[in-house]
Every structure is written in C-alpha cells, then in structure tokens.
Amino acid sequence: MSLSIEEIFTSFKVPVSSSQKKLIRDAYEIAEGAHAGQMRKSGEAYIQHPLAVAKILAEIGMDTVTVVSGLLHDVPEDTTFTLEDVRKHFGNEVASLVDGVTKLGHLKLRGSKQEIFLENLRKMFLAMAADIRVVIIRLADRLHNMRTLEFHTIDKQERIARETLEIYAPIANRLGIGEIKGEMEDLCFKYLDTKNYEQVKHLMETHYTDREKLLETIVTELKSVFKESGIHIIDIHGRIKHLYRIFLKLKKHDMDITRIHDLVAVRVIVPEIADCYETLGIVHKKYRPMIGRIKDYISLPKPNGYKSLHTTIFGPDGHIIEVQIRTKKMHEEAEFGIAAHWIYTEKEKKSWKNLIFRNSKEVVVKQELAWVNQLREWQNEIGSDNEEFLSGLKIDFFKNHIFAFTPKGDIIDLPEEATPIDFAYSIHTEIGNRTIGAKADGKIVPLNHHIQNGQVIEILTTKERKKPSRSWITFVKTSYAKSRIKKELKKEPFQ
Ligand code: MN
C-alpha cells in the first residue's frame, strides 16, 4: 500500500489552491529524487516515509508550508540536496522549518546523563517557542516511525517507544492533538507492555464484540428521534477509547471492564448551547440515563476549558454508552485547540509532571490555566479562519510568553518581561519572600531584570529575610506575584 502524492492532496483539511498544489508537487519530486535508491528498514522506498509524514500533517489540518517541510524534512540530512538548496527552491520559511526539524532530530531525549537530557529537553522547548510547527512535524515524523517500529531490533523498539511515551505523546497531548497522542500511546503500549496490551485488546473484543455495529445502531436510532423532534444536528459520530487509556482506567478498577462506562461514546454536534440541553432531553427520553452520570461541563467547564454535556445511557440491548453533546465551537476547541486537555491530563501524567514541573504546585497550575485562557482568547480573536489560525501558530503562539529554567532544569512558564521575583514566586511563596538576589545564566542580575527566553535563573535567598520588599510591586509582571507580595506585606509584622 504505497502512498502517492495524490493521497496527500485528498488528506488536506484546509483548502489548497492550485499554486499550493504545485509547490507540494515540487517538494515531492525533489524529495523523491534526493532519496532515490534509499530504502526504509521495511524494504520500502525511502520516499514513503516523508510522504506518510506529509499525510499525517495534512490530516491534522496543517498548512501547505508545513506539509512541504514535512516532505523535505529528511532531505538535508540524508541526501546531497542541502538546506541552502531547500532555501533557494522553497524560501526561508520552509528552510527554517526543515532546519528546525533536523536539529530537533539530533536530540537524544533519553539515556545519557541527566544533564544532557535536561539540556535537550530545553532545546525542544525553545524550538517550540520559536515555531510550534517544527515540533508538530517532529511529532508526525515520530508517529510514522512508531507505526513502522516492527522492523527494528527489540532494543531499539524499547528505546524509541519509551522516549515516545515519555516525551512525544505528552507534547502531542499538550498541543491538543489528541489523534496523534492516542495513536502514539497505543503503539507504545504494544511494544512496552505487550502482555497487557494483548489482554486489553482481547477484553475489548470480547466485551464489545460488535462495537462498530452497536455504534451504527445507536447513531441510526438517535438520528431518527432527532429528526422526529425537529432538532438540527450538525454531526453525530462514534468514538472508541484508545486501548492505553482503557488500560489506565482498568488498572484503577481491578481490571473490571464492566465498571468503565465510556469505552464507547457517541458525539452529537449541534448549533447552539440551548440545543445541547434540548438534545440531552431527547436522548434521555429515548434511552434510560444512568443515575449520577450526567455531567454538565457547559455550566462548569473542566479546568482546561473543556465544555460538553456528558451522559451515560443504557443503549440498544442495554449496552452502556456515553453520549457527549456539544456545539460546533466547543467541538473544535476540544479537537483542535492547541491547549486542550492541558491541565487535566497533566495531573494524571505523573511522570511527565515530575519531569518538567517538579515544582508544580497549585501556583504553577494556576499559571498554566492563565496560559490556556490566554490562548483561547487569542484563538477566539482569530476566529475560525483556518489559514489565519495556522499561520498564526508560527511565532505568535508563544508571543508574550517565555520559558525559563531552574538550575535543575525545571521549566517555568512566564509572561514576557517577567522578573526573577516573578520566577521566585512561581516556584514557592517562601522562596519569593526570602529572595535577596538572582543570577541569570550564572551572572548576577538586578531583581527587576527582564528574564530572556531560555535563561537559567537561580534565586538567591536568605533565612533572615521573611518579607518581600514593597518596591517589588512596581516591577513584577505576574498578577500572582503581585498579590502574594501584597498579602505578605499585610501580615502582622511580629508573630
Ligand atoms: Mn524522518
């Protein structure tokens, strides 16, 4: 089943003009020529790999420039066609994306020494800050490598799968690309924990012998009741939970599959919020709801901003099915919103959290939420214009937003122009209160120093100091630091 360039065109989620098609075709022809004679471990022609990467990118809704870069992503490294040649043919934007992907590819994200690992992770984040599309291409690259992992040695399978599970899948998750995250996790699961993978797969097959058919039945039945009641439905489709996610839930429920109620879900997309509630009523009239399983995430959105109505019902033949009802806007935010599922899954993923946000306390979570909200606001401003949304992903995504590092390599998220005092308070109030000085990349800086993206910040503290200085309020950037300082200053001086 070799891929052709035509399949890339049909995979696009965004409209592609004829001049854009020509550009993609050019990139394909150059990549094919450059990789001619090279083979993948699978025995396929090498060009199949960049084609598969381009297809993934088109499928998740990326723009032409990203897809072109995906086609060319291995060219400078593995062929005689240089980065300069890429620049000459396709311009600076494509060249800088390809260059970024190549550089990221050199990072070994696991193994070696802890310091090297942290340094690499740091580069990954900086690449994200520079142009998020570099990371998205890298994710597509990794996903295809995972799909073709069977052709490698067991050792290599292990190493790549672990790195994917610990680094790439969480990044995909953080960027809200659920499709990539889900598939990556399932593939990792298969290679890293084959026994449990097979068991869960078997459980699903026996418990839901005719899942597809069940979904088909309920979708047909619902469509007809919706039609009768005259409610307008934009879309209705089934969703099957990924195996790895099922496994994590099963572990919490003594591997008892009958206790998991969202193995199979149906999503109903309607125009307006009012329609959501009306639809819920109709669903409940048709199928008996399970008590205590109705969740109104519209009135009370999840911490990551997720909105929907969820209900669990006894569907055809008494099968338990979750029904999710949402507007088109909510759906797009959940599927496409870069920051979707941010905090929620972050909390579950202890390993990732420990890795990056070892200092993660409520403080940091609050900050993350602020960032999510900021993103959402920005997304709303742009509206649903895909082209604009995607080109905006470029640098604006991280505009007014920087990453700084603790000496241990923990990443602290800050707004632009944040100071060491903001940094200190975002780690811990006590640290903020006791700050007497700061170093940026090893050099002493004033406390009102504007932290630069990627700087390692060391906070110097003393036990003698117990209160913040009033003057700090005049230069701190985060409202969090400001409110902590005010609060601390109000406390009784002698306790
Ligand atoms: Mn590659």
Side-chain angles (χ1 to χ4, degrees), residues 118-162:
L118 289 171
E119 182 58 28
N120 288 339
L121 208 54
R122 181 174 152 177
K123 284 185 195 145
M124 180 84 132
F125 268 79
L126 293 181
M128 281 173 85
D131 193 327
I132 196 76
R133 294 175 300 178
V134 168
V135 178
I136 295 175
I137 297 168
R138 216 27 217 145
L139 289 173
D141 180 37
R142 176 51 64 103
L143 178 59
H144 184 246
N145 286 335
M146 282 301 299
R147 283 180 188 165
T148 51
L149 202 57
E150 59 185 296
F151 303 104
H152 287 281
T153 59
I154 301 220
D155 274 6
K156 203 164 177 195
Q157 286 175 353
E158 236 257 22
R159 186 181 65 74
I160 293 178
R162 191 156 300 284

Side-chain angles (χ1 to χ4, degrees), residues 159-339:
R159 186 181 65 74
I160 293 178
R162 191 156 300 284
E163 185 183 86
T164 305
L165 190 65
E166 289 179 359
I167 310 280
Y168 288 91
I171 290 176
N173 181 42
R174 185 166 290 199
L175 297 178
I177 314 169
E179 273 307 301
I180 288 188
K181 172 218 160 205
E183 190 182 342
M184 272 184 175
E185 283 184 344
D186 275 8
L187 286 162
C188 294
F189 186 30
K190 185 172 141 191
Y191 287 101
L192 294 174
D193 192 355
T194 314
K195 235 178 95 187
N196 278 317
Y197 174 82
E198 293 299 337
Q199 195 198 341
V200 174
K201 212 172 136 208
H202 178 74
L203 261 175
M204 280 303 278
E205 279 160 8
T206 46
H207 191 73
Y208 276 98
T209 26
D210 293 313
R211 266 177 304 166
E212 307 287 341
K213 232 181 116 198
L214 172 66
L215 277 174
E216 232 172 77
T217 314
I218 186 168
V219 166
T220 317
E221 289 186 6
L222 280 176
K223 268 185 186 165
S224 92
V225 284
F226 291 148
K227 205 173 170 193
E228 271 167 41
S229 48
I231 193 147
H232 175 55
I233 300 293
I234 295 175
D235 187 29
I236 173 165
H237 59 264
R239 187 222 61 164
I240 291 168
K241 212 174 167 67
H242 280 97
L243 291 182
Y244 183 63
R245 290 284 133 191
I246 296 171
F247 174 64
L248 294 182
K249 271 212 163 170
L250 277 168
K251 276 208 294 194
K252 280 193 218 154
H253 294 97
D254 309 317
M255 298 304 276
D256 181 358
I257 202 158
T258 59
R259 286 163 67 187
I260 302 178
H261 302 313
D262 60 351
L263 292 172
V264 175
V266 173
R267 283 196 184 123
V268 186
I269 318 292
V270 295
E272 303 291 335
I273 292 178
D275 304 323
C276 292
Y277 293 96
E278 201 182 335
T279 306
L280 183 72
I282 295 164
V283 171
H284 285 167
K285 230 164 105 188
K286 172 79 185 166
Y287 303 114
R288 187 161 59 86
M290 195 181 250
I291 306 294
R293 295 278 308 181
I294 303 164
K295 293 172 194 156
D296 183 352
Y297 295 121
I298 294 177
S299 314
L300 274 175
K302 284 190 186 180
N304 62 2
Y306 175 84
K307 288 182 195 156
S308 272
L309 296 178
H310 287 192
T311 182
T312 305
I313 49 117
F314 297 92
D317 299 324
H319 274 108
I320 294 169
I321 294 171
E322 184 174 88
V323 180
Q324 306 172 348
I325 305 163
R326 50 175 80 150
T327 65
K328 193 164 192 288
K329 185 163 170 281
M330 291 171 196
H331 184 60
E332 272 165 9
E333 277 177 5
E335 294 285 289
F336 202 52
I338 294 292

Side-chain angles (χ1 to χ4, degrees), residues 231-475:
I231 193 147
H232 175 55
I233 300 293
I234 295 175
D235 187 29
I236 173 165
H237 59 264
R239 187 222 61 164
I240 291 168
K241 212 174 167 67
H242 280 97
L243 291 182
Y244 183 63
R245 290 284 133 191
I246 296 171
F247 174 64
L248 294 182
K249 271 212 163 170
L250 277 168
K251 276 208 294 194
K252 280 193 218 154
H253 294 97
D254 309 317
M255 298 304 276
D256 181 358
I257 202 158
T258 59
R259 286 163 67 187
I260 302 178
H261 302 313
D262 60 351
L263 292 172
V264 175
V266 173
R267 283 196 184 123
V268 186
I269 318 292
V270 295
E272 303 291 335
I273 292 178
D275 304 323
C276 292
Y277 293 96
E278 201 182 335
T279 306
L280 183 72
I282 295 164
V283 171
H284 285 167
K285 230 164 105 188
K286 172 79 185 166
Y287 303 114
R288 187 161 59 86
M290 195 181 250
I291 306 294
R293 295 278 308 181
I294 303 164
K295 293 172 194 156
D296 183 352
Y297 295 121
I298 294 177
S299 314
L300 274 175
K302 284 190 186 180
N304 62 2
Y306 175 84
K307 288 182 195 156
S308 272
L309 296 178
H310 287 192
T311 182
T312 305
I313 49 117
F314 297 92
D317 299 324
H319 274 108
I320 294 169
I321 294 171
E322 184 174 88
V323 180
Q324 306 172 348
I325 305 163
R326 50 175 80 150
T327 65
K328 193 164 192 288
K329 185 163 170 281
M330 291 171 196
H331 184 60
E332 272 165 9
E333 277 177 5
E335 294 285 289
F336 202 52
I338 294 292
H341 299 175
W342 169 272
I343 296 160
Y344 223 67
T345 5
E346 225 42 61
K347 275 192 194 155
E348 290 171 18
K349 265 197 185 305
K350 290 227 176 57
S351 63
W352 172 248
K353 187 171 159 187
N354 291 340
L355 215 53
I356 308 296
F357 297 105
R358 244 182 303 163
N359 292 322
S360 181
K361 303 228 157 59
E362 232 177 305
V363 182
V364 182
V365 172
K366 262 187 207 150
Q367 271 188 350
E368 287 172 351
L369 193 58
W371 185 25
V372 172
N373 289 337
Q374 204 176 309
L375 272 172
R376 286 191 177 283
E377 254 175 51
W378 174 79
Q379 241 173 288
N380 289 341
E381 264 170 47
I382 304 255
S384 56
D385 184 338
N386 271 339
E387 267 310 308
E388 214 183 332
F389 174 74
L390 289 164
S391 63
L393 272 181
K394 231 173 96 184
I395 289 168
D396 290 0
F397 182 69
F398 284 97
K399 207 172 150 193
N400 312 321
H401 183 83
I402 55 171
F403 293 118
F405 298 84
T406 71
K408 281 182 185 162
D410 294 320
I411 295 168
I412 307 291
D413 240 328
L414 292 164
E416 222 169 39
E417 298 185 348
T419 66
I421 297 295
D422 294 290
F423 184 91
Y425 277 101
S426 77
I427 294 172
H428 198 279
T429 305
E430 279 302 293
I431 294 179
N433 290 346
R434 295 191 166 153
T435 299
I436 49 157
K439 286 181 180 174
D441 289 335
K443 288 199 192 88
I444 294 277
V445 291
L447 290 176
N448 61 0
H449 165 76
H450 287 176
I451 297 174
Q452 302 300 302
N453 203 7
Q455 275 187 333
V456 175
I457 303 296
E458 190 181 339
I459 299 295
L460 310 170
T461 57
T462 171
K463 289 219 165 73
E464 273 72 69
R465 168 160 222 153
K466 295 211 166 53
K467 265 177 166 288
S469 157
R470 190 167 294 278
S471 68
W472 293 354
I473 295 176
T474 59
F475 60 75

Side-chain angles (χ1 to χ4, degrees), residues 40 46 49-50 53 73-74 138 141 145:
R40 292 276 288 173
Y46 196 89
H49 167 63
V53 170
H73 83 273
D74 278 332
R138 216 27 217 145
D141 180 37
N145 286 335

